[in-house]
Amino acid sequence: MNLSVWGESVSGGSVGRAPLSHDITTDALVIGGGMAGVLTAYRLKQTGMDCVIAEAQTVGSGITKNTTAKITAQHGLLYAQILERLGSEAAKLYLDAHTQAIGDFRELSQRYPCDFEEKNAYVYSISDRAALEREAAAYHKLGLAARLEETPPLPFPTAGALCMEHQAQFNPLKLLTALAREVTVYERTPVRSIDGRTAVTDGGKITAGHIVLATHYPMINIPGLYFLKLYQHRSYVIALEDAPPLDGMYVDERQDGHSFRTYQNLLLIGGGDHKSGKEGGGFAELRGLAQQYCPLAKERFHWATQDCMTLDGLPYIGRHRAGSPQLYVATGFNKWGMTGSMVAARLLRDLMVGGKSELETLFSPRRSMLSGQLFKNIASSAAGLLSVGGPRCAHMGCKLHLNSAEKTWDCPCHGSRFDEDGRVIDNPAKRGIKR
């Protein structure tokens, strides 16, 4: 069944809201009914601001339903990198923001049951003990306990695992649908265009003082250069029953490694990663791992997800670009979209209500683009545009590649995806292709 365990538990996430059928005016419009969009609208409503969500399909029908739903401030081996590039103040801001996000989820879970469980998080390495020790030293500098486990309870040998205590996991759609019932949502209301402070939909216009793009990949991405600042990464998950129990959440420090967590009686294994539009291990890799280490387990669910990755490993949250002060964006969570969404909700609320945020500079979408990843993105786009033959992406015309694991047509330039009949599955493309 190509459906996540969350999707089955909440029946897709729809809150049964009608599409927009008339023109409206509001203080704030949030485009996108995933975790980032719903949390932002919820936080804005708490301040007394009038806010509506326009969702192209149904609440929770996009990327959120396919997350592995880890709530953690441990994002791989990131803190040593931030310390080296940006210094201790930036690293502490990042840590504190995501630690507060965990507390915010914990508080919400007390009001809205969502299978919230406190768990320790671990980043492990197959062979690079030195990398773990550098990250442990970064923890010490930031005032964190840094416990290196010599033999983590994984079914294969490792060089160790670094623990971050008091993190959490949950069922994201249970929380999302509960919060969405607290705010004004128009489902099946795709925004076709934005002109200043007015968004145009099929059923009417929405005029707002503030507009937030929480559409995973920004629907406006050429102004602002997001088509150069982002690339998309695809990964896969299988859920096994009758697998050996595992306490805690584990993730490989390598981008193409594996992750592990439990949910109820299931073991969730993630991995098989690849850049969208390229080939990777996919479900076959995960099933091979399960057969090798859990031969008696049975697969109950399998699903895939897609993540927006930034040039420097930090999200883009804030004002979309210079010259459009009414337009905001939350994107590029680099596989850590749950805490990233909560951080975005707080940051955007502060900008809209108070005009500033202590996190504004750190996550600014207008920060420097100079990085090695920028040139890789440019080269990938050029290769896709210059490749002969078809089919071609409806976004910017790059040649599409067949994703054999999912039978879809994926864009190697910017990550748009289309089903076998040419219908759009994932943005930035806004229209289908001819097959």
Side-chain angles (χ1 to χ4, degrees):
M1 180 184 298
N2 194 8
L3 174 72
S4 74
V5 62
W6 328 123
E8 187 208 43
S9 69
V10 188
S11 190
S14 174
V15 290
R17 301 293 177 82
L20 181 69
S21 59
H22 57 283
D23 294 352
I24 61 172
T25 300
T26 184
D27 294 332
L29 164 65
V30 177
I31 304 173
M35 190 63 76
V38 170
L39 284 174
T40 298
Y42 181 80
R43 292 303 189 205
L44 289 174
K45 183 181 178 182
Q46 287 183 314
T47 71
M49 185 178 288
D50 183 45
C51 181
V52 302
I53 295 173
E55 164 54 44
Q57 298 180 42
T58 58
V59 166
S61 62
I63 299 301
T64 299
K65 74 178 185 301
N66 293 325
T67 176
T68 51
K70 297 185 284 287
I71 306 173
T72 177
Q74 187 188 63
H75 298 165
L77 301 181
L78 187 64
Y79 291 102
Q81 297 175 32
I82 299 177
L83 281 169
E84 181 179 351
R85 289 191 292 108
L86 302 175
S88 58
E89 183 177 347
K92 192 69 164 62
L93 269 177
Y94 187 96
L95 173 62
D96 289 348
H98 288 85
T99 300
Q100 180 174 343
I102 299 167
D104 290 342
F105 275 114
R106 182 179 288 107
E107 181 181 333
L108 286 174
S109 73
Q110 294 169 3
R111 296 179 57 192
Y112 307 103
C114 54
D115 302 332
F116 182 95
E117 299 177 276
E118 184 170 294
K119 295 285 184 178
N120 289 343
Y122 300 83
V123 57
Y124 69 89
S125 178
I126 297 296
S127 59
D128 196 345
R129 175 74 177 194
L132 295 178
E133 291 174 347
R134 284 193 297 271
E135 188 73 0
Y139 281 22
H140 281 301
K141 289 181 181 178
L142 297 171
L144 282 172
R147 189 175 83 241
L148 269 171
E149 299 282 352
E150 299 296 332
T151 54
L154 293 171
F156 44 77
T158 71
L162 179 61
C163 178
M164 185 178 284
E165 297 179 334
H166 308 302
Q167 310 300 289
Q169 59 187 29
F170 73 140
N171 181 322
L173 287 192
K174 285 188 176 181
L175 179 63
L176 186 72
T177 52
L179 293 178
R181 294 187 179 99
E182 303 284 340
V183 297
T184 302
V185 181
Y186 295 98
E187 294 187 309
R188 297 182 177 84
T189 302
V191 172
R192 303 300 184 184
S193 63
I194 298 174
D195 183 9
R197 297 183 185 275
T198 299
V200 179
T201 79
D202 298 336
K205 296 179 180 179
I206 306 172
T207 301
H210 308 277
I211 299 175
V212 177
L213 305 181
T215 54
H216 180 60
Y217 198 108
M219 62 172 290
I220 299 174
N221 58 81
I222 295 177
L225 301 179
Y226 291 88
F227 72 103
L228 292 177
K229 294 193 291 192
L230 292 168
Y231 66 99
Q232 298 206 60
H233 209 258
R234 197 129 188 96
S235 54
Y236 302 81
V237 186
I238 59 174
L240 305 175
E241 62 182 358
D242 298 327
L246 181 69
D247 188 27
M249 306 176 296
Y250 293 81
V251 63
D252 196 326
E253 50 91 11
R254 300 171 303 160
Q255 191 177 79
D256 61 351
H258 300 107
S259 70
F260 304 85
R261 65 154 289 192
T262 56
Y263 177 67
Q264 296 176 349
N265 66 328
L266 299 174
L267 174 66
L268 277 53
I269 305 178
D273 298 28
H274 58 86
K275 186 177 183 291
S276 299
K278 303 293 185 181
E279 286 294 326
F283 293 119
E285 178 181 312
L286 300 182
R287 287 164 180 155
L289 187 73
Q291 182 60 36
Q292 182 177 1
Y293 295 111
C294 315
L296 300 180
K298 304 179 189 67
E299 183 177 313
R300 280 282 313 281
F301 301 93
H302 67 272
W303 68 93
T305 193
Q306 188 147 297
D307 293 279
C308 284
M309 315 293 285
T310 64
L311 299 175
D312 59 4
L314 306 185
Y316 298 129
I317 309 168
R319 291 181 173 88
H320 183 272
R321 65 184 188 274
S324 296
Q326 82 287 358
L327 194 62
Y328 304 81
V329 68
T331 189
F333 296 128
N334 299 289
K335 301 189 178 184
W336 303 106
M338 296 300 97
T339 45
S341 293
M342 188 67 82
V343 170
R346 173 189 168 202
L347 196 164
L348 295 173
R349 176 203 64 192
D350 291 349
L351 287 180
M352 285 183 235
V353 175
K356 60 182 180 180
S357 167
E358 64 176 351
L359 301 173
E360 183 176 4
T361 299
L362 181 63
F363 296 117
S364 172
R366 293 178 284 171
R367 64 187 183 266
S368 174
M369 293 173 57
L370 292 178
S371 73
Q373 186 62 51
L374 172 64
F375 300 105
K376 292 179 182 178
N377 290 356
I378 292 172
S380 178
S381 294
L385 287 166
L386 295 174
S387 296
V388 297
R392 317 293 295 193
C393 182
H395 175 230
M396 293 181 69
C398 291
K399 183 180 179 180
L400 299 174
H401 291 261
L402 179 65
N403 178 339
S404 57
E406 300 176 85
K407 304 298 187 290
T408 58
W409 290 97
D410 299 358
C411 179
C413 297
H414 308 109
S416 298
R417 301 178 62 246
F418 307 85
D419 68 17
E420 291 181 292
D421 295 320
R423 291 182 291 258
V424 177
I425 302 172
D426 289 311
N427 63 342
K430 299 176 185 177
R431 65 182 189 278
I433 59 171
K434 292 183 179 180
R435 292 287 301 112

